[in-house]
Amino acid sequence: MSDETEDTSSYPALGRALTWVETPRAKLTLLALLVLGCVISVAWDFTYEKYGYFMETSLIGFYAGLGFVLMFVLVLSANGWRALIGAREDFYAGESTDAENLPEDQFDIGDHNA
């Protein structure tokens, strides 16, 4: 990201509202919000008495830890499945218009990076 301020007046309202994500402090802010959410979810376990069929389910932070572990496994398995059944990068190249040799004047080529 450059030091210049970008003119966001042509952006839609949601695009203008989310430009803060590109700031240098955004990564730290999002990480702090994640940690705060984790702390709150574990602290919430102290507010009620749990009755579980298994002893492990009554431990403090059990479901928060279980959710973290299962999401970690889900992400790793999704990467493995993508490698196993994912399509090649040029899978649609034979049917796409950019692979054809059509005259340039038949395409409406505009600036789509607005």
Side-chain angles (χ1 to χ4, degrees), residues 69-91:
V69 169
L70 290 179
M71 285 304 293
F72 185 75
V73 169
L74 180 68
V75 169
L76 290 181
S77 64
N79 284 333
W81 277 105
R82 183 185 58 180
L84 184 65
I85 63 173
R88 298 179 321 274
E89 187 173 335
D90 60 345
F91 183 76

Side-chain angles (χ1 to χ4, degrees), residues 24-76:
R25 294 195 54 157
K27 187 184 288 186
L28 290 175
T29 303
L30 292 173
L31 181 63
L33 288 173
L34 176 66
V35 169
L36 180 67
C38 291
V39 168
I40 288 173
S41 69
V42 171
W44 194 262
D45 274 352
F46 289 103
T47 62
Y48 61 94
E49 189 172 347
K50 293 184 286 235
Y51 301 99
Y53 186 74
F54 297 106
M55 181 191 71
E56 292 83 10
T57 59
S58 61
L59 295 174
I60 299 296
F62 173 76
Y63 288 108
L66 180 65
F68 177 79
V69 169
L70 290 179
M71 285 304 293
F72 185 75
V73 169
L74 180 68
V75 169
L76 290 181

